[in-house]
Amino acid sequence: MGIDHDTLVFFSKSWGLFYLLAFAIGVLAYTFWPSNKKRFNEAKKSILDPEDKPWK
């Protein structure tokens, strides 16, 4: 008994959806984890140097 195309499509659509949802939840948990706040605030402030000025 072989695996037909419809079975593979069903499997990839259903488990692919669960995989992407779990990945998104993991990314959000990492982003809003309290111990990462310092790292993200430093990254936010380190984009520009204090002496950077707009061109005139």
Side-chain angles (χ1 to χ4, degrees):
M1 179 178 155
I3 298 175
D4 62 342
H5 180 263
D6 292 332
T7 305
L8 287 176
V9 169
F10 174 76
F11 180 78
S12 66
K13 284 185 177 183
S14 61
W15 289 107
L17 174 66
F18 294 138
Y19 169 76
L20 288 176
L21 286 174
F23 186 73
I25 289 170
V27 168
L28 286 173
Y30 173 76
T31 302
F32 293 110
W33 203 260
S35 63
N36 292 331
K37 185 176 182 176
K38 181 180 176 187
R39 179 184 306 163
F40 289 134
N41 281 336
E42 288 175 0
K44 178 177 70 173
K45 293 177 183 177
S46 70
I47 298 295
L48 297 174
D49 292 328
E51 64 268 0
D52 283 345
K53 301 271 191 259
W55 287 42
K56 291 184 179 183

